Amino acid sequence: MSHAFRAASLLATLFASFFAQAQCDRWQQRVKYDMDVALNASTHRFTGIATLAYTNNSPDTLREVFFHLYFNAFRPGSEMDVRSRTIADPDARVTDRIAALEPHEVGELRVERMAQGGKAVQLEHLGTVLRATLAQPLLPGRSTTLAYAFAGQVPVQIRRSGRDNAEGVAYSMSQWYPKLAEYDHRGWHAIPYVGREFHGVWGDFDVRLTLDSAYTVAATGVLQNPEQVGHGYPSKKAVKRPAGNTLTWRFSAKDVHDFAWAADKDYKHVVRPMADGPELHFFYKDTPELEAVWRQLPEYMEKNFRFMNEHFGRYPWPQYSFVQGGDGGMEYPMLTLITGNRRLGSLVGVSVHESVHSWYYGVLASNEGRFAWMDEGMTEYASSKVMQHLFGGDGDPHASSIDGYLGLAESGKHEPASMHADHFNTNAAYGATAYSFGEMLIHQLGSVVGEKDLAQGLRRYYAACKFKHPEPIDLERAFEKQSGLELDWYFDEWVSSTRTLDYAIAEVMQVGDSIRITLQRKGEMLMPVDVMLVGRDGGQLLFHVPLSLARGAKRPDRDRAPFTQLPSWQWTDPRYTFSVKGDITSLAGVTIDPFTRTAERDRDNDAVIFPEGVRGVARP
Ligand SMILES: [Zn+2]
């Protein structure tokens, strides 16, 4: 290695680490919860005593803080109730069920009193939000401790959390405690709950749960007192339960942004240690029907975690739990609640999706309300790869995301993905945007930067933004650094508009000794274009037309197949022409986007097939 080369590579290393730090480097708040909670399983009421250490890393002085009180959504007349009864296409799990709840079935969460350094904090309950006016302002860079008591009632399960779900699971306890709202560079996120997305403050939880000892408890974090608990938790010492009818479970979770738990008397608890990954836990109702399916789950999930670790970044926590509960599937840190009465494919599918959220939500904690597509779409993208790894098949695992997005684009209900999740006019548009559009956007990026830089860019994004709240700009910058391209046009226009993509082959003609090909941009959306020429002998020639705005092109050795790079398409031009030496009679066809990676709205104008002997094709 020459001296000059060493200096250059040292400089490159310095720049790489400089850029890695210059991304996702916004300040973020920090919390430390210490909670003692007692649940009365006959009244479904609970009380808690909490100490919350809150560090203000913002440059601002805070005079008030906000908490979420999600259980208050499950009361007639709540914002969630009214939203569900007035939206055009309500979630079938909710409809008017909240309006019909009796007083003993409703949810309730109240903070009874709060003190800051011995002085009373003024509280104002605003439905699912609590405003707490601090006794002393919290200065930038300082911490404070809030001590408070809370009490609530677990609602009958309507959506995600609650008691007695459709499969008879006693307690699905998500979004159940007074949860401090996040304050970031966009200000407070004290969003009233309408049943959709979450955002939380990074921190540590130490939670002690006391309830009837007949219940088995699953929770975020790691159980700290297995020798007093038993219930299937591995313990180094012999299990010795304290006397009495109740049991206290102590869970500790580090570097998470929420805490969920579930409890049932009939849980079977299976533990599967992984040599090269987290300890996997499974909790499900102990019935022969469930056993027949669930006993197959651990092996699939071990493969799932191994694949994700290898391709998307390492899962950072020591444990993960798959828990029967809730009303479908929902992700929480180190744990998911999923309905369990499913066939194997469906059980594996939901388990993959929710556990993959550990990467896109758990570690990369984007504000799900503001950027739902980063949360669900990226989870779908990785899940599709995992499912193909688990079940095989050589088709494109992301094809359905393009179909789903195009269905939305055609439906007339399309709204920009930059819309806050709570504010989409229809549940259908929110769903297709967060899941299908989001997956499509990542998949399609492969056609811009190349497949290898897409995969590496995702790992780069993970490394740069783990344990942060990444935003679209952070994803964009990760891919810009990985590919060397300018990508603002891609993220800006796809995320903030409802424009659609349509490139066409306008003309293929013999001119002298060359075949002249003219492409046309018919849609408003801009993209680079891949063009494949297929000869009558079956030979293929792949060309790439870069978009001028990208200031470069994907590298020929970093995509699915080698290609010849053509001069850039100046973005203001509606047409683009290039020539290839050869005779048109040797050509069988020309195709745009031959790997169908882009969300082309009209595929009919993407291909020209030549009947034998034809000298040229022109389209109006
Ligand atoms: Zn999801």
Side-chain angles (χ1 to χ4, degrees):
M1 191 189 280
S2 79
H3 191 71
F5 186 77
R6 260 205 306 275
S9 79
L10 179 66
L11 208 60
T13 311
L14 281 174
F15 270 104
S17 59
F18 171 76
F19 283 126
Q21 283 163 8
Q23 192 179 342
C24 260
D25 61 350
R26 293 175 290 274
W27 52 265
Q28 60 191 27
Q29 308 295 71
R30 185 84 193 174
V31 283
K32 195 169 189 312
Y33 286 90
D34 195 290
M35 291 193 277
D36 257 303
V37 177
L39 169 69
N40 181 329
S42 8
T43 62
H44 311 298
R45 293 193 65 85
F46 60 99
T47 55
I49 299 286
T51 308
L52 175 69
Y54 183 41
T55 304
N56 178 18
N57 292 316
S58 84
D60 309 319
T61 297
L62 302 180
R63 291 183 168 78
E64 56 185 14
V65 301
F66 293 87
F67 287 80
H68 297 282
L69 305 173
Y70 291 105
F71 271 4
N72 295 333
F74 304 105
R75 306 176 70 81
S78 72
E79 278 145 319
M80 180 173 174
D81 172 35
V82 175
R83 176 77 168 155
S84 178
R85 286 187 286 117
T86 52
I87 198 166
D89 58 343
D91 186 324
R93 291 167 291 202
V94 184
T95 60
D96 59 355
R97 288 176 65 212
I98 297 174
L101 289 175
E102 300 284 337
H104 66 281
E105 296 171 325
V106 299
E108 180 193 323
L109 185 56
R110 287 189 66 80
V111 175
E112 319 231 279
R113 58 191 181 277
M114 184 180 286
Q116 180 192 17
K119 290 191 190 136
V121 170
Q122 191 192 320
L123 302 176
E124 189 184 356
H125 284 79
L126 306 158
T128 56
V129 171
L130 174 78
R131 181 204 299 269
T133 305
L134 297 176
Q136 295 136 356
L138 178 55
L139 300 177
R142 304 301 288 272
S143 298
T144 193
T145 300
L146 301 172
Y148 49 97
F150 59 94
Q153 177 168 293
V154 184
V156 166
Q157 200 261 340
I158 300 285
R159 184 79 181 90
R160 298 192 177 120
S161 53
R163 62 182 165 91
D164 307 316
N165 84 342
E167 296 184 344
V169 174
Y171 293 104
S172 302
M173 299 293 283
S174 57
Q175 316 297 345
W176 57 279
Y177 61 96
K179 179 179 162 188
L180 190 71
E182 181 61 300
Y183 181 78
D184 60 23
H185 72 117
R186 293 167 182 268
W188 281 105
H189 299 281
I191 306 290
Y193 186 53
V194 294
R196 206 158 261 161
E197 301 293 337
F198 305 103
H199 190 38
V201 190
W202 280 105
D204 305 325
F205 287 76
D206 205 327
V207 182
R208 289 166 300 283
L209 302 167
T210 301
L211 69 162
D212 184 331
S213 59
Y215 288 84
T216 299
V217 176
T220 295
V222 175
L223 182 67
Q224 301 298 301
N225 58 338
E227 71 286 351
Q228 295 176 335
V229 163
H231 284 282
Y233 280 90
S235 170
K236 288 193 183 100
K237 292 182 219 149
V239 175
K240 190 160 178 287
R241 285 210 196 144
N245 299 326
T246 62
L247 202 50
T248 297
W249 303 63
R250 186 180 162 211
F251 290 94
S252 169
K254 301 253 175 285
D255 293 320
V256 294
H257 43 81
D258 200 2
F259 183 96
W261 58 287
D264 195 85
K265 286 180 180 173
D266 304 322
Y267 271 150
K268 176 165 183 175
H269 180 190
V270 174
V271 180
R272 183 164 179 121
M274 277 181 69
D276 51 353
E279 189 173 81
L280 303 180
H281 290 241
F282 301 83
F283 299 84
Y284 52 99
K285 289 277 208 178
D286 196 358
T287 70
E289 296 76 29
L290 287 168
E291 175 66 22
V293 185
W294 277 72
R295 71 185 163 78
Q296 303 175 66
L297 193 57
E299 194 175 331
Y300 282 104
M301 290 307 104
E302 196 174 329
K303 282 185 191 157
N304 165 33
F305 270 80
R306 200 165 287 140
F307 183 88
M308 286 299 300
N309 279 341
E310 186 183 337
H311 295 279
F312 292 91
R314 277 203 80 76
Y315 178 87
W317 295 288
Q319 185 179 320
Y320 188 84
S321 299
F322 297 87
V323 186
Q324 187 183 5
D327 62 352
M330 188 63 192
E331 69 278 11
Y332 306 101
M334 302 177 69
L335 172 147
T336 178
L337 295 179
I338 53 177
T339 45
N341 193 5
R342 299 163 179 264
R343 282 204 279 252
L344 182 66
S346 166
L347 183 66
V348 172
V350 72
S351 301
V352 165
H353 176 95
E354 303 309 339
S355 59
V356 165
H357 268 301
S358 299
W359 281 256
Y360 303 105
Y361 156 81
V363 175
L364 299 160
S366 300
N367 181 337
E368 298 169 67
R370 286 293 286 108
F371 315 112
W373 63 271
M374 296 180 76
D375 165 56
E376 295 301 345
M378 298 189 74
T379 295
E380 285 284 271
Y381 178 81
S383 299
S384 296
K385 291 236 186 299
V386 174
M387 290 300 277
Q388 188 165 56
H389 171 68
L390 295 182
F391 294 103
D394 48 14
D396 180 348
H398 311 292
S400 64
S401 70
I402 296 181
D403 296 342
Y405 156 71
L406 288 174
L408 170 69
E410 299 294 340
S411 71
K413 293 176 180 163
H414 194 187
E415 297 176 70
S418 54
M419 181 76 65
H420 190 284
D422 289 353
H423 294 271
F424 280 86
N425 286 323
T426 58
N427 279 316
Y430 156 73
T433 301
Y435 292 76
S436 301
F437 167 85
E439 180 178 3
M440 180 282 292
L441 192 72
I442 302 302
H443 174 49
Q444 181 180 254
L445 187 57
S447 76
V448 180
V449 301
E451 297 295 340
K452 289 176 187 167
D453 281 328
L454 175 64
Q456 210 157 314
L458 286 169
R459 288 192 290 273
R460 187 184 191 116
Y461 168 57
Y462 186 86
C465 296
K466 60 187 173 189
F467 302 116
K468 301 282 180 66
H469 292 307
E471 301 196 350
I473 185 65
D474 302 308
L475 189 62
E476 177 188 320
R477 295 295 293 131
F479 282 108
E480 287 193 338
K481 290 166 193 169
Q482 183 61 38
S483 66
L485 302 179
E486 227 177 277
L487 296 169
D488 41 1
W489 56 273
Y490 184 78
F491 286 94
D492 288 351
E493 296 196 19
W494 281 98
V495 172
S496 314
S497 83
T498 57
R499 292 178 174 182
T500 55
L501 178 74
D502 184 22
Y503 282 87
I505 297 171
E507 192 184 77
V508 183
M509 295 293 278
Q510 185 75 44
V511 179
D513 61 353
S514 296
I515 305 164
R516 192 183 68 192
I517 297 165
T518 302
L519 309 176
Q520 186 177 359
R521 176 167 57 77
K522 302 188 105 171
E524 293 173 307
M525 202 62 95
L526 300 166
M527 281 287 279
V529 184
D530 287 324
V531 188
M532 175 90 85
L533 273 60
V534 181
R536 295 218 170 273
D537 59 359
Q540 296 180 339
L541 274 179
L542 187 59
F543 294 90
H544 179 64
V545 186
L547 177 66
S548 63
L549 295 175
R551 300 278 162 232
K554 59 186 172 186
R555 288 176 276 164
D557 60 332
R558 302 284 291 166
D559 201 13
R560 195 169 294 187
F563 57 81
T564 302
Q565 185 186 321
L566 296 169
S568 292
W569 185 329
Q570 179 175 296
W571 76 272
T572 48
D573 271 339
R575 289 164 85 91
Y576 179 93
T577 297
F578 69 102
S579 294
V580 182
K581 279 234 167 5
D583 193 285
I584 203 164
T585 55
S586 66
L587 206 55
V590 181
T591 309
I592 282 177
D593 186 27
F595 305 120
T596 56
R597 284 182 293 188
T598 70
E600 269 286 325
R601 194 168 179 171
D602 182 358
R603 290 227 173 257
D604 290 343
N605 59 25
D606 286 6
V608 171
I609 310 291
F610 292 97
E612 202 88 48
V614 163
R615 303 289 301 167
V617 171
R619 287 208 171 102

